Amino acid sequence: MRAAVFDSGIGGLTVVKSLLAHKLFDEIVYFGDTARVPYGPKDKNTIIRYSLEALEFFKNFEPDILITACNSVSAHAIEELREVASFPVVGVIEPGVLALEKKLRNKKSNILIIGTKATIESQKYQNLLQQRGYTNFTAKATPLFVPLVEEEIFEGEVLKATMHHYFQDFHPEAIILGCTHFPLIAQQISSYFYNKALLIHSGEAIVEHLESTFHIKKSNKTPSLKLFASENPEKLKRVAAQWLSLSQI
């Protein structure tokens, strides 16, 4: 089977990491729209248009499934993609909530949801948490993290100052990383909260979601990976080599 994975930039590599580890597919084709990242500040119609353009790109590869490894796309364009695509389209928001449910049984726990402006304003995470009985959650848009990650700033004083700007008034028991860029700075976020907050992201549950929904059987061989970007593909490959621990791509 061939999976297509789409993100606004390099963040979707955090989902690819899980897919590679669990060997669900024979081939993974990744496209990062790095020329137009971030999607978070953009309006819904623009996000839908960019997503449909990415879908056209993937049609050349005849994928069996498309994973929108971008929370902004999952929040605003998933239905439009499903209407046009001839193959299943899977988002990352539901798997993220699934990952939380697996690890956080106390429905009264203090939960912080962070993501792009588009994701937070969509209310998708908030609505799903409410439907599942969680009663104590706050959503905070943290858009500056995306360009920092895209600039490969994974640690240091600038990132620390940005975290303090966003987090100084929060003391969560769990944090939903509602953007696939954020696991790339998860260690630093955890350290800011003295490693006392449980960090959750959709990459942890995407495999279970795919297996249970589509009954995909694991392969015995490591999938091949093809990486494409709308701008500066060498940076995408460099980050992929580092994050995915690959010697060459």
Side-chain angles (χ1 to χ4, degrees), residues 9-64:
I10 64 176
L13 293 172
T14 60
V15 172
V16 170
K17 187 171 186 174
S18 293
L19 299 179
L20 287 173
H22 289 85
K23 302 179 180 179
L24 288 190
F25 302 100
D26 300 309
E27 183 178 64
I28 298 171
V29 181
Y30 183 93
F31 175 66
D33 193 6
T34 48
R36 301 188 289 198
V37 68
Y39 280 12
K42 296 174 172 61
D43 64 85
K44 178 176 181 177
N45 289 334
T46 301
I47 293 172
I48 291 172
R49 176 163 57 87
Y50 289 174
S51 301
L52 292 175
E53 289 172 2
L55 179 62
E56 287 299 314
F57 169 83
F58 282 121
K59 284 181 179 179
N60 297 323
F61 295 92
E62 299 181 345
D64 296 290

